[in-house]
């Protein structure tokens, strides 16, 4: 069984080209290998892992229970209920090696440009390592792959150490330093307690206070860990129980936000337990409904803010100087190290700029007009044979994205099966099917706490639309992706064996006329 990645020059052509080697790309590769497909996986990094390869900051860990944050077909040997980053990375390395797919992975290679060739019904792809063509392009790049830097005057002039949480500088000496952290999101609340222990002074710059509930984490005792590994069905029982427990959160997010009051009371109690100063308690208490922004989990964040060497700064940042940060009230706080924990490009995926569709327009240009949208979060009108894993409106506020990934990969596998059986050269969702799908989705979205909770979040794009999250249960998502619904697509017949002259197009075969089966809200 090979554990070596792809070597040698790129092939001239592959049936399926996958971009990204995180959970999405690895799941796609394993399933394609099982189906006997000809495929290649590209990743700009040097190994599998995606966000769990890149995010190595102190305290990095998953906020979804370990049993659920793993492939259904590859149970993990976890040390605790919420796994730290090194364990998740090691798990992905182990699954990749044991599955035998690494010989089809090309690392340290980025996608530069991919354009749909209408005449030949294929993708023409340029990479940092050379060019090739592919019948099908699968994007598994995800929404947490490109760090987002804040637009603050003077940030480029700062003279000390500066780095994003997703590009942590492990060579930086932080002991005894004056450190500032910009941001109070999921990464920041894991980083701050670690930095507070080593910094001489720690300033945390908060724009919006998040709701934070206790982290009910525990180490698995040796006997329990052994039982999970050896007792048939026990690990699956754990996973199933956690899954259905998480699904009980859905109504509070999507239909009846007021039933989340117990979670809010838990979060308020977490504040009282962790912070002694009444004024600081006021500053960290959100002014919007719980769930409107991502609910975070931590037992150590509030005590870190309450420490003598820490200060929470809520005044807006006016500018950054070579030696510090100036807030709107004119106060300048000198620092040695600046840590930027301001998230990722989630609603403006960078890979969209590299993908050019049937009409010669990039995916970024198309989405700039109306916001990110797709059909079932997976296929996009105007971009034949393009499939996205973790595409628009597939994110979750309550459960594991690995469940979504496996659901989308199943849909892609069935699409490839249908294409092969019927000799389709290309499939593309109909405009009316995609529009109707998104109309129903956003009608449903209007009832959710993400739309009615009174906050501004990274879930929303520049048009104010939530193009990130799925507004129903994961059960409904999986059911909708259980099989490829050809009636929602325009399909194209095979390219003739003879060379297709420039300017001509292969035979188009419209899909049957009935409307696609779209779930009712």
């Amino acid at each position: 069984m090979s554990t070596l990645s792809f070597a040698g020059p790129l092939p001239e052509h592959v049936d399926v080209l996958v971009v990204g080697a995180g959970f999405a790309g690895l799941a796609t590769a394993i399933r394609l290998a099982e189906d006997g497909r000809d495929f290649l996986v590209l990743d700009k990094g040097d190994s599998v892992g995606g966000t769990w390869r890149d995010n190595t900051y102190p305290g990095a860990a998953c906020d979804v229970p370990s049993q659920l944050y793993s492939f259904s077909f590859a149970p993990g040997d976890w040390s605790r209920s919420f796994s730290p980053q090194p364990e998740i990375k090691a798990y992905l390395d182990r699954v990749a090696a044991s599955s035998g797919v690494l010989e089809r992975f090309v690392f340290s290679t980025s996608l530069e440009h991919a354009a749909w060739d209408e005449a030949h019904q294929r993708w023409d792809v340029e990479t940092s390592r050379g060019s090739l063509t592919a019948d099908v392009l699968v994007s598994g790049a995800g929404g947490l792959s490109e760090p987002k830097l804040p637009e603050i005057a003077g940030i480029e002039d700062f003279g000390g150490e500066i780095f994003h949480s997703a590009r942590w500088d492990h060579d930086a000496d932080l002991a005894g330093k004056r450190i500032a952290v910009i941001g109070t999101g999921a990464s920041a609340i894991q980083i701050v307690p670690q930095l507070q222990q080593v910094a001489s002074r720690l300033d945390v710059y908060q724009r919006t206070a998040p709701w934070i509930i206790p982290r009910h984490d525990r180490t698995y005792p040796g006997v329990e860990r052994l039982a999970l590994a050896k007792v048939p069905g026990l690990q699956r029982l754990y996973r199933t129980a956690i899954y259905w427990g998480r699904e009980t959160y859905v109504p509070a997010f999507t239909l009846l936000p007021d039933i989340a009051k117990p979670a809010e009371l838990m979060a308020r109690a977490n504040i009282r337990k962790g912070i002694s100063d009444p004024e600081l308690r006021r500053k960290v208490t959100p002014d919007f409904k719980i769930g409107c922004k991502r609910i975070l989990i931590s037992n150590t964040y509030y005590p870190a803010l309450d420490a003598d060497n820490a200060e929470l700064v809520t005044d807006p940042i006016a500018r950054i100087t070579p030696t510090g940060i100036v807030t709107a009230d004119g106060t300048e706080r000198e620092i040695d190290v600046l840590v930027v924990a301001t998230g990722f490009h989630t609603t403006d995926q960078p890979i969209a700029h590299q993908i050019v569709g049937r009409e010669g327009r990039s995916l970024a240009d198309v989405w700039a007009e109306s916001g990110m949208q797709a059909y079932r979060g997976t296929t996009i009108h105007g971009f034949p044979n393009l499939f996205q894993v973790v595409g628009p409106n597939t994110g979750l506020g309550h459960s594991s994205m690995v469940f979504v990934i496996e659901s989308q990969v199943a849909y892609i596998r069935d699409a490839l099966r249908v294409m092969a059986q019927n000799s389709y050269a290309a499939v593309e969702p109909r405009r009316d099917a995609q529009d109707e799908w998104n109309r129903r989705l956003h009608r449903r979205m209007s009832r959710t706490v993400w739309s009615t909770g009174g906050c501004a979040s990274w879930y929303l794009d520049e048009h104010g639309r939530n193009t990130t999250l799925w507004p129903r249960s994961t059960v409904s998502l999986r059911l909708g992706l259980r099989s490829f619904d050809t009636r929602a697509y325009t399909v194209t017949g095979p390219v003739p064996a003879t060379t297709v002259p420039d300017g001509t197009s292969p035979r188009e075969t419209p899909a049957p006329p009935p409307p696609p089966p779209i779930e009712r809200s």
Side-chain angles (χ1 to χ4, degrees):
M1 183 177 298
S2 174
T3 59
L4 298 176
S5 58
F6 184 90
L10 295 179
E12 293 183 2
H13 178 84
V14 292
D15 292 345
V16 184
L17 181 66
V18 182
V19 181
F23 268 101
L26 182 55
T28 305
I30 291 172
R31 294 310 197 190
L32 291 179
E34 290 176 359
D35 294 342
R37 302 285 180 192
D38 171 41
F39 70 93
L40 204 64
V41 181
L42 303 181
D43 195 282
K44 61 186 178 183
D46 59 3
S47 67
V48 299
T51 190
W52 294 105
R53 175 196 62 219
D54 297 338
N55 285 265
T56 60
Y57 58 80
C62 191
D63 55 9
V64 172
S66 308
Q67 303 296 338
L68 201 57
Y69 203 77
S70 52
F71 295 124
S72 62
F73 54 84
D77 177 21
W78 306 111
S79 67
R80 55 191 315 111
S81 50
F82 289 89
S83 300
Q85 177 270 334
E87 274 196 23
I88 298 173
K89 177 61 167 71
Y91 165 78
L92 291 169
D93 287 337
R94 190 164 57 249
V95 172
S98 63
S99 65
V101 297
L102 279 177
E103 61 186 13
R104 304 303 298 168
F105 279 63
V106 185
F107 295 115
S108 302
T109 303
S110 60
L111 176 74
E112 304 290 338
H113 187 74
W116 177 250
D117 181 344
E118 183 73 7
H120 296 91
Q121 299 290 281
R122 68 189 185 193
W123 288 95
D124 293 335
V125 179
E126 295 292 335
T127 79
S128 59
R129 188 171 170 176
S131 60
L132 73 160
T133 59
D135 296 327
V136 172
L137 182 63
V138 178
S139 171
L144 303 180
S145 58
E146 286 297 326
K148 188 174 186 178
L149 294 172
E151 295 181 1
I152 302 175
I155 192 169
E156 66 281 357
D157 298 325
F158 179 65
E161 297 272 7
I162 178 172
F163 44 88
H164 192 280
S165 58
R167 300 291 183 267
W168 197 267
D169 183 358
H170 290 277
D171 292 329
D173 181 10
L174 304 178
K177 298 295 179 64
R178 299 168 298 178
I179 305 174
V181 176
I182 299 178
T184 53
S187 298
I189 70 158
Q190 295 180 342
I191 293 169
V192 164
Q194 305 294 319
L195 296 183
Q196 180 270 321
Q197 295 178 33
V198 300
S200 62
R201 195 188 77 229
L202 177 66
D203 301 325
V204 180
Y205 288 81
Q206 171 187 284
R207 184 172 61 180
T208 306
W211 285 108
I212 305 175
I213 60 176
R215 184 182 186 90
H216 299 300
D217 193 11
R218 68 183 181 87
T219 301
Y220 289 137
V223 173
E224 184 178 12
R225 194 169 176 179
L226 181 64
L228 284 168
K230 299 298 184 181
V231 176
L234 183 60
Q235 181 127 221
R236 183 166 295 278
L237 180 63
Y238 268 51
R239 181 184 176 93
T240 301
I242 293 169
Y243 170 77
W244 287 111
R246 290 271 163 165
E247 285 300 283
T248 64
Y249 299 176
V250 174
F253 285 111
T254 63
L255 290 174
L256 302 167
D258 288 342
I259 68 174
K261 192 66 177 178
E264 181 183 324
L265 294 175
M266 188 188 305
R268 291 182 182 275
N270 200 28
I271 294 172
R272 291 194 300 272
K273 180 180 179 181
I275 294 177
S276 58
D277 177 47
E279 177 60 18
L280 183 56
R281 286 179 179 176
R282 184 190 65 79
K283 287 182 178 182
V284 300
T285 301
D287 59 0
F288 53 84
K289 286 186 178 180
I290 191 167
C292 184
K293 291 170 70 76
R294 183 177 178 181
I295 299 175
L296 308 180
I297 58 173
S298 178
N299 302 329
T300 56
Y301 178 70
Y302 289 140
L305 291 183
D306 201 42
D308 291 340
N309 66 333
E311 179 182 3
L312 182 70
V313 183
T314 58
D315 290 314
I317 297 175
R319 66 184 185 278
I320 295 176
T321 71
T323 58
I325 299 178
V326 179
T327 48
D329 64 354
T331 302
E332 180 172 4
R333 295 171 176 84
E334 293 192 347
I335 57 173
D336 306 304
V337 180
L338 175 56
V339 176
V340 180
T342 48
F344 300 84
H345 291 273
T346 54
T347 60
D348 57 338
Q349 296 179 9
I351 194 173
H353 294 273
Q354 275 80 55
I355 299 175
V356 176
R358 180 167 43 78
E359 297 177 356
R361 302 175 67 203
S362 74
L363 188 54
D365 289 338
V366 172
W367 280 347
E369 293 181 357
S370 57
M372 290 199 312
Q373 60 176 266
Y375 177 67
R376 298 191 183 277
T378 310
T379 56
I380 304 154
H381 177 74
F383 295 81
N385 291 7
L386 173 66
F387 296 89
Q388 273 211 312
V389 186
V390 191
N393 289 111
T394 59
L396 301 176
H398 71 286
S399 192
S400 170
M401 284 305 300
V402 181
F403 185 91
V404 174
I405 288 168
E406 290 194 42
S407 302
Q408 289 189 280
V409 171
Y411 187 76
I412 295 169
R413 291 176 78 186
D414 200 50
L416 296 176
R417 179 190 62 79
V418 169
M419 291 174 68
Q421 286 184 349
N422 295 278
S423 299
Y424 296 151
V427 295
E428 176 188 348
R430 299 197 322 264
R431 166 61 72 184
D432 63 314
Q434 181 171 305
D435 288 347
E436 177 66 4
W437 168 259
N438 283 276
R439 185 185 70 79
R440 291 178 182 274
L441 186 149
H442 286 288
R443 186 179 68 185
R444 181 81 180 214
M445 188 71 74
S446 66
R447 312 178 214 170
T448 68
V449 70
W450 309 310
S451 299
T452 64
C455 72
S457 72
W458 59 264
Y459 299 149
L460 308 180
D461 67 9
E462 60 183 2
H463 305 281
R465 285 166 39 113
N466 188 328
T467 60
T468 307
L469 297 180
W470 172 245
R472 301 184 65 186
S473 69
T474 61
V475 176
S476 65
L477 183 144
R478 174 155 288 188
L479 288 174
L481 293 167
R482 66 190 181 277
S483 60
F484 184 69
D485 45 341
T486 314
R487 290 184 298 171
Y489 288 78
T490 297
V491 299
T492 304
V495 177
T498 56
T499 302
V500 180
D502 291 341
T504 67
S505 297
R507 170 176 56 86
E508 288 194 357
T509 307
I518 302 175
E519 294 89 355
R520 295 284 174 182
S521 299

